[in-house]
Amino acid sequence: MRRADRAVTALLLIPLACGGANGNGGKGGTGGASGTSGAGGATGGTSGTGGAGGGGSGTFSQVWDFTADTEGWTGSFCDYPPADAATYDLMSGWASLPTGVPAGGGLRMNGNNHSDDLFMFISRAITGLRPSAAYLMDVVVVIATNASADCGGIGGAPGTSVFVKIGASATEPRAQADNLGWLRLNLDKGQQSTGGADLEVVGNIANTLPCVTSNPPYQAKTLMLSRFAVTSSADGKVFAILGTDSGFEGVTTLFYDSVSITLTPAN
């Protein structure tokens, strides 16, 4: 399923975006969640494992492994002043996975957290669900991280102070300027180690390798979210969101290796 030794491609400098910029565009395809009539189809990436569903159950299940492209996911950034975007080194896009993890492709996110609060996230619309229906979402994500749990840093540690959050909403994630002109997420993600109504904290990006200050090695890490309650929109859509809320005042570069999502009707 994985394609080895591909060059990094489509890494974009994102000066202002939050909830819309992406790298090498994922190509929409038919996933497989059934609608109320049993003939629906949730949108899925061309390279992902096809979604499961049928018989009018309204259940959606799909794995995106980013073998060749972003598969419809977008990378975005919040909690920073757009006037200073160039100094934040904001980049997102498809890339080959780094040495130290199984060869293949992934979504690469990069940012220099001058604000001590940078939120970097990926999101994707899932369609073809039952309209205005309650769902329970289960997520399994595999990331590649070079942030050792043994390392310390300015403001916080590069591993244990960068918190992973996962959630979903019927509202599309986007930026909105606060009264100081900073870009903030329009959803409730909480603050760093605390989750919010739309995203829960599932862990951090720390790995188990020894602390290395020069070219630290990457390691795969799996994080999970279970039975997260979300209600679909009137047209049967939810937006899945996975991100990192950082208290480390430095550069974070991580890869999303794969994302598995199941949405099951709550009743």
Side-chain angles (χ1 to χ4, degrees), residues 14-22 75-78 80 82 85 90 121 174-175 183:
I14 313 296
L16 300 175
C18 176
N22 66 305
S76 306
F77 306 85
C78 286
Y80 70 96
L90 306 177
F121 71 97
R174 58 179 177 81
L183 293 178

Side-chain angles (χ1 to χ4, degrees), residues 239-258:
F239 292 87
I241 312 157
L242 298 85
T244 52
D245 208 350
S246 180
F248 165 59
E249 296 182 44
V251 176
T252 294
T253 305
L254 62 85
F255 297 77
Y256 290 89
D257 184 356
S258 67

